[in-house]
Amino acid sequence: ERSLRSEQWQADHLDLYVDGNDLYAQADDGQSCDAGNTYRWVYEPRRTGRVPFAVWDPDSYKDNSGHLVVRILDLAEVPDTMTWQVPSRQKAGATSPGLLRGGQEYLVTVSGTWRNGRGGTADAECALGSDGRWRRDVDTYDMVAGEWDYRSLSPRMNGVRTLPVSGGDQCDPNNTYTWVHRPYRTTPLNVRVSDPDGHGDNAGALTVSVKTYDGSATPTPPPTETPLPAPDPAVTPESFSVDSRSATPMATTQSYPSGTPLRVTATGTYLMRSSKDWIAADAECTATSTDYRWRSARDGLWGMWNGVSSPLGDLAVNGSIITWTPSTGSGSCDSYNHVYTYDLTTARRGKLSFVVVDSYYADNQGALEVSVEPR
């Protein structure tokens, strides 16, 4: 509870104060009070100097116990390389010690193992089975990563499809994986482990390292003899529908070569809730029976998606919630034509997948039309 007195429900008791100012922070999980007790605030000091931090206790400090951990990140610092630990016991994970520059590609490497307190062992991508074999098809204990956008102080977490350093697309014997990450804006990177059973009994940590990516291949040992690759087939436009009632992503028919510049266009609307209290959505925005205006962010329209609390209603690409550009060229929503575009360059060879972001699909109705074409 934020207030200790029912008759003063708007009060904010026993807060942390920063330089005499009540901490005006947002919970890591987007709620009023965070279950993992982690809060974030973008703070611009009014003066130069040391900053005192103090908890407010109007009665007495003598009978108190415990402490708060404060971490300050300079939003002006953008280092080229960073390394940090991600303790598996921390529900909020751990955030990079510096910022990643928007539009810059980074090679992210995650290594190590952790234990879930129930006899299970996992790394960033795979889990160890009772037969002693590592398996990739157990998504429950995957690592997730997220960055901040202009809408929120809590990171938008998503599962990451990492690749073993040893090669292939399954599990790495040394529990080390990489992926190429390109933030769309300058922001820190948060990494955490996903444990639906709770983080308090976990043990172990993952190690994350980030360095600027120069476009070269990921550090995979080459085979002794490398056959000449077959030429990639020509990339042709394709179109398909994404059914709003399906939680299974819709994949493209083509497998696009690495480095292919593509433009994705999403058109149309669907109903996230087809009842008298309806909610309509397109690729980026929503409207409701009580608010006809199309909005890109809407309070209360959050739910569990991919195991984390996420804003609902967007069209996700490759398991990530992205920012679509309206065809009008301004604002966040195309309230009339509902046409949006998204430009990307493939980081590695593979298909693209699309799914609407929702926590319950049975009451949905309609589909979005998607086209993918080379730029």
Side-chain angles (χ1 to χ4, degrees):
E1 300 289 348
R2 299 185 69 87
S3 172
L4 300 181
R5 303 176 70 94
S6 59
E7 73 275 11
Q8 298 177 3
W9 62 272
Q10 290 182 316
D12 209 4
H13 295 133
L14 302 179
D15 266 14
L16 176 69
Y17 276 69
V18 182
D19 198 17
N21 298 291
D22 186 5
L23 184 74
Y24 190 70
Q26 182 167 338
D28 180 72
D29 58 6
Q31 305 301 314
S32 176
C33 296
D34 180 58
N37 308 114
T38 300
Y39 300 85
R40 307 176 196 275
W41 187 23
V42 177
Y43 173 71
E44 183 175 350
R46 300 175 182 175
R47 62 178 181 84
T48 299
R50 296 183 177 183
V51 182
F53 293 82
V55 295
W56 173 56
D57 188 339
D59 295 326
S60 172
Y61 292 87
K62 295 181 180 179
D63 57 351
N64 293 353
S65 62
H67 65 276
L68 301 176
V69 176
V70 178
R71 179 172 179 270
I72 303 175
L73 180 65
D74 185 351
L75 295 182
E77 295 293 330
V78 186
D80 291 333
T81 61
M82 293 178 282
T83 300
W84 71 96
Q85 294 285 310
V86 180
S88 61
R89 291 176 62 91
Q90 292 184 189
K91 181 181 179 181
T95 302
S96 58
L99 305 182
L100 281 70
R101 190 180 303 279
Q104 169 70 50
E105 290 189 334
Y106 294 87
L107 184 65
V108 185
T109 303
V110 185
S111 60
T113 62
W114 59 281
R115 298 177 298 281
N116 67 355
R118 290 168 171 77
T121 301
D123 57 23
E125 192 68 45
C126 299
L128 184 62
S130 57
D131 58 358
R133 297 178 57 189
W134 288 88
R135 288 183 171 83
R136 194 181 183 99
D137 56 356
V138 182
D139 293 333
T140 305
Y141 300 110
D142 267 8
M143 175 209 70
V144 293
E147 53 190 53
W148 286 258
D149 65 11
Y150 63 90
R151 304 172 185 172
S152 176
L153 295 181
S154 58
R156 303 176 70 171
M157 308 302 301
N158 294 287
V160 177
R161 179 71 174 181
T162 60
L163 293 177
V165 169
S166 58
D169 59 358
Q170 295 303 309
C171 300
D172 186 84
N174 295 316
N175 309 108
T176 303
Y177 303 83
T178 67
W179 86 92
V180 176
H181 181 73
R182 186 184 185 209
Y184 75 96
R185 67 190 295 264
T186 300
T187 176
L189 179 67
N190 179 271
V191 178
R192 60 187 70 178
V193 299
S194 175
D195 188 349
D197 301 318
H199 294 72
D201 56 355
N202 292 349
L206 301 177
T207 300
V208 181
S209 65
V210 174
K211 64 179 182 180
T212 53
Y213 181 59
D214 58 6
S216 61
T218 54
T220 301
T224 54
E225 293 184 6
T226 303
L228 293 176
D232 290 316
V235 177
T236 58
E238 62 175 299
S239 301
F240 48 88
S241 296
V242 178
D243 189 351
S244 66
R245 299 168 299 176
S246 176
T248 302
M250 178 69 184
T252 57
T253 57
Q254 299 180 80
S255 185
Y256 297 99
S258 175
T260 303
L262 298 171
R263 167 159 291 183
V264 182
T265 303
T267 305
T269 63
Y270 67 95
L271 289 175
M272 292 182 63
R273 183 192 297 157
S274 54
S275 64
K276 65 177 182 179
D277 299 324
W278 54 265
I279 301 175
D282 55 24
E284 179 68 21
C285 300
T286 58
T288 71
S289 59
T290 58
D291 181 10
Y292 290 2
R293 181 176 178 181
W294 289 85
R295 302 180 186 274
S296 61
R298 189 177 296 277
D299 292 340
L301 198 58
W302 284 69
M304 296 301 295
W305 185 72
N306 278 354
V308 296
S309 178
S310 303
L312 305 180
D314 282 10
L315 179 64
V317 180
N318 284 352
S320 298
I321 301 175
I322 54 95
T323 300
W324 293 87
T325 301
S327 62
T328 55
S330 62
S332 300
C333 302
D334 184 348
S335 304
Y336 300 98
N337 299 318
H338 303 284
V339 178
Y340 298 83
T341 60
Y342 176 61
D343 291 342
L344 75 155
T345 300
T346 54
R348 59 177 180 268
R349 183 181 183 86
K351 298 181 178 183
L352 301 182
S353 64
F354 301 85
V355 66
V356 299
V357 180
D358 203 351
S359 57
Y360 183 69
Y361 292 83
D363 60 348
N364 291 0
Q365 181 178 319
L368 297 178
E369 301 301 320
V370 175
S371 65
V372 182
E373 57 186 352
R375 284 190 283 126

